[in-house]
Amino acid sequence: MSAIPKHRRPRPRATRVLAVAAGIATVGALVVSLPASAGQDHSGRGKGGQKRTVDVQLLSFNDFHGNLQPPAGSSGQVTEKQADGSEKKVDAGGVEYLAGSLRTARKGNPYSVTAAAGDLIGASPLLSGLFHDEPTVEAMNKLDLDVTSVGNHEFDEGAEELARMQNGGCHPKDGCFEKEKDGKGKKFKGADYPYLAANVTDEKTGKPILKPYWVWKHKGVKIGFIGVTLEGTPDIVSADGVKGLKFHDEIETVNKYAKILDKQGVKSIVTLIHEGGVPKSQTYNYDCDSPGAGDGISGPITTIAKGITPKVDALVTGHTHNAYVCTIPDPAGKPRMVTSASSFGKLYTDTTLTYDRRTKDIVRTRVKSANHVVSREQAKAPDMTSLISRWDKLAAPVANKAVGHISADIPGRGAGVPESPLGDLIADAQLAHAKSVDPEADLALMNPGGIRSDLVFKASGSEGDGVVTYGEAFTVQPFSNTVNLVDLTGAQLVTGLKQQVSGSNEASPKVLQVSDGLTYTLDMTKTGADRVVADSIKLNGKAIDPAATYRVAMNSFLAGGGDGFAELGKGTKSLVGSDDLKALNDYLTANSSADKPIAPPKADRITIVK
């Protein structure tokens, strides 16, 4: 693996401030403050009459995933708790609005730094994903991102591609996507901000593949940032993406570099960590510290936060796509701010870090933080509108490429029924792909939330009726999940199917789409797990044997236990295939033509009793 060149220094920026436009960034925000210590006063003056403390504004977000355009449907909404206790869905997100929100929040404040907690790229919509996320990096440069940690999706295309995201250069296979006026390829400039990867090392050299930390300096104020991704990244990224790399324990790594920063005289430290938690409420402005500090959150980040050295003053987190602003006690028992801003640029977090010039440390008792909605009711940032328009024109030829043919509409997200024709087609496509990787594959399962649209017979452009374009297929499956193969026992498979209608899915069932050959009855007159009639579950007409082992294909989201399917996350002998969009496109191409289009599946594999 080649060494990654040293990061270029970010360009200078204009003065910024904490003032926030009413009705844009402050809607429904719940401000969390760390409890004050009695008798503490930091209002004195230092040498030359300089004020002893200064408030530094930390703006942060996470899991942007290339969502330059406003995310559609529920993916582009946040749930806001109202004063009367009711909940309201608010449309949010889109880089034109994120840029505007951040720029408004900074106005007039000379001490403002913007940071992110990974997955800025990867699993991106067509506009960014087609160009290996160059448009998103360009957008992050324009909105003046200062620093980010890597996330698992930064490794989707491997360490060399991540190095290109940092340092620039045209894609090694696809070349330069844009042209200069003289007709030559326009070189991608790379990120103006450093990607931090403290716990990711080259297995040969043992050294971090990117900078482990970065220090923000302004008018005598110094704040160190340590960036890490989850140690389990290899479990959720293709083998090629993490080839030659080692991922280390998050707590041990952060503590190591916090000690190094401390020895360098950097006493104020923020950790950017691509790992997160699960809040008790899905409203972004709920009280995470009720009834006590950190009581409103669970999951991996709680254990990590309690293990990271008190030298670290705040944690900006991600990965779970949740929203929270919590105070979780550090190992010394002192409250420490831990935040996450949902995903897709729908929220940003505004944290006030009071810096003591004498101690060079953050006054923890004066830290305040709140999540704010990236409202679509504000003016669009013109430079981002121009960026989107430019890349959209380049995307058109690829987006319009034909990948298959259908004889009629194949409803998916819009089907309005538990089993959709498109869901069955996707499951069949994933099973076909799985069999090409491992002929022993038995069946495939697809989560309904991963189907984002329908395949429509009527032409959306000039491609002609019945033609499925790459762009249309991309809209159906935009997440860049991989198709994974795992071993599950028959008993585990039955338990997994029961989790569709029990546990966290009991109130709102998530009915998995199944490949041809798997049949069973879902009795909705019953409650909980009993809705799945266990003795009706059959594969190719034969009852499922609880003791037998089945080779099951599913996307990486399900294989990780997503959507409440914890049992599916217990599979063994994992094998990672190609991404789910490729599986769908390959299936459409191989099984259809203009003369023999694919007909909508009957969607009769699950018998529904109402």
Side-chain angles (χ1 to χ4, degrees), residues 68-70 94-101 378-381 384-385 388:
L68 299 172
Q69 296 168 311
V95 77
E96 294 161 298
Y97 304 113
L98 177 61
S101 292
Q378 62 184 298
K380 295 179 179 180
M384 295 300 176
T385 301
I388 289 171

Side-chain angles (χ1 to χ4, degrees), residues 283-307:
T283 57
Y284 79 88
N285 56 338
Y286 78 108
D287 187 356
C288 185
D289 289 339
S290 177
D295 286 344
I297 190 172
S298 60
I301 199 59
T302 58
T303 300
I304 293 171
K306 291 174 182 177

Side-chain angles (χ1 to χ4, degrees), residues 150-152 155 199-200 227-231 233 247-248 250 273-274:
V150 294
N152 54 288
F155 294 93
N199 68 331
V200 187
V228 296
T229 185
L230 70 157
E231 184 182 8
T233 291
F247 292 76
H248 303 275
E250 303 95 335
I273 178 169
H274 192 71

Side-chain angles (χ1 to χ4, degrees), residues 160-308:
E160 294 298 329
E161 177 64 2
L162 176 56
R164 190 178 74 88
M165 292 292 100
Q166 178 71 91
N167 300 299
C170 296
H171 192 270
K173 291 184 179 179
D174 295 338
C176 302
F177 296 113
E178 295 186 287
K179 301 287 186 183
E180 299 282 11
K181 291 182 179 180
D182 59 5
K184 294 182 179 179
K186 182 179 180 181
K187 183 180 177 182
F188 171 56
K189 294 181 179 179
D192 286 345
Y193 49 90
Y195 272 102
L196 305 181
N199 68 331
V200 187
T201 60
D202 186 309
E203 64 180 10
K204 292 181 179 178
T205 67
K207 296 180 180 180
I209 64 165
L210 291 164
K211 284 187 174 183
Y213 60 85
W214 175 78
V215 180
W216 178 78
K217 301 176 182 178
H218 189 63
K219 296 183 179 179
V221 175
K222 294 191 295 185
I223 299 178
F225 289 84
I226 302 169
V228 296
T229 185
L230 70 157
E231 184 182 8
T233 291
D235 299 327
I236 52 178
V237 175
S238 68
D240 286 342
V242 295
K243 186 177 181 180
L245 304 178
K246 285 189 176 182
F247 292 76
H248 303 275
D249 181 83
E250 303 95 335
I251 297 174
E252 292 177 1
T253 302
V254 172
N255 290 352
K256 170 186 174 180
Y257 286 105
K259 186 179 294 185
I260 290 173
L261 283 168
D262 184 65
K263 287 182 178 179
Q264 293 176 0
V266 180
K267 306 297 183 180
S268 299
I269 303 172
V270 174
T271 291
L272 309 174
I273 178 169
H274 192 71
E275 180 60 289
V278 180
K280 285 187 176 180
S281 171
Q282 290 302 307
T283 57
Y284 79 88
N285 56 338
Y286 78 108
D287 187 356
C288 185
D289 289 339
S290 177
D295 286 344
I297 190 172
S298 60
I301 199 59
T302 58
T303 300
I304 293 171
K306 291 174 182 177
I308 286 179

Side-chain angles (χ1 to χ4, degrees), residues 75-192:
S75 295
Q77 294 180 325
V78 293
T79 304
E80 183 177 87
K81 185 177 181 179
Q82 305 299 295
D84 62 2
S86 63
E87 296 181 359
K88 177 184 177 182
K89 296 287 187 181
V90 180
D91 291 334
V95 77
E96 294 161 298
Y97 304 113
L98 177 61
S101 292
L102 294 177
R103 289 165 181 170
T104 298
R106 294 172 184 147
K107 285 181 180 177
N109 192 338
Y111 297 89
S112 185
V113 57
T114 303
D119 274 10
L120 298 183
I121 59 175
S124 303
L126 182 77
L127 184 62
S128 186
L130 275 181
F131 306 105
H132 301 278
D133 282 309
E134 289 183 19
T136 293
V137 172
E138 180 184 350
M140 293 298 107
N141 288 343
K142 286 181 178 293
L143 59 74
D144 285 333
L145 179 64
D146 284 297
V147 61
T148 184
S149 69
V150 294
N152 54 288
H153 279 286
E154 264 81 19
F155 294 93
D156 283 349
E157 296 189 50
E160 294 298 329
E161 177 64 2
L162 176 56
R164 190 178 74 88
M165 292 292 100
Q166 178 71 91
N167 300 299
C170 296
H171 192 270
K173 291 184 179 179
D174 295 338
C176 302
F177 296 113
E178 295 186 287
K179 301 287 186 183
E180 299 282 11
K181 291 182 179 180
D182 59 5
K184 294 182 179 179
K186 182 179 180 181
K187 183 180 177 182
F188 171 56
K189 294 181 179 179
D192 286 345

Side-chain angles (χ1 to χ4, degrees), residues 395-440:
V398 180
N400 295 332
K401 179 184 177 182
V403 295
H405 298 78
I406 55 177
S407 63
D409 287 353
I410 304 183
R413 192 172 185 83
V417 292
E419 179 186 1
S420 71
L422 186 52
D424 285 357
L425 188 149
I426 290 172
D428 289 346
Q430 293 191 4
L431 179 58
H433 175 72
K435 283 184 175 293
S436 72
V437 175
D438 182 352
E440 299 299 316

